[in-house]
Amino acid sequence: MDRVIKELENVRSSPDADAVHDLRVAIRRCRSVAAVMEEVDPDPAWPPCARSLANFSEGSARFAMRK
C-alpha cells in the first residue's frame, strides 16, 4: 500500500499517462497480494480491502480514459 500512496501522490502532482500507469500497476499488485492473503488468512478484513482496491482501480481506469 505504501507504493500505491506514493504513486497517488505522483498522479496528484503530475497527472500524466506514465504516472497514472504506475498507479494502476501498484494497485494491481496490491490486489494480487490481497487475494493471496485472503486465501491464507481468513480475517474478515480482507474482502472489504479487496473491494476497496477494486473500486480504486476502476476509478483510476476512468481517470486514465479522460486523459
Side-chain angles (χ1 to χ4, degrees):
M1 278 307 284
D2 291 339
R3 184 62 182 233
V4 171
I5 293 167
K6 177 183 179 274
E7 297 301 342
L8 181 58
E9 290 169 358
N10 289 342
V11 168
R12 287 180 174 158
S13 66
S14 175
D16 61 12
D18 287 336
V20 173
H21 171 75
D22 291 345
L23 173 61
R24 298 192 71 220
V25 168
I27 294 168
R28 192 166 43 251
R29 288 179 178 161
C30 275
R31 290 180 71 187
S32 295
V33 168
V36 169
M37 290 304 298
E38 193 174 351
E39 292 287 323
V40 297
D41 179 9
D43 190 302
W46 286 115
C49 177
R51 278 194 300 278
S52 294
L53 287 166
N55 290 339
F56 196 49
S57 180
E58 291 170 12
S60 67
R62 286 192 300 272
F63 181 80
M65 293 188 333
R66 291 186 320 162
K67 295 292 170 186

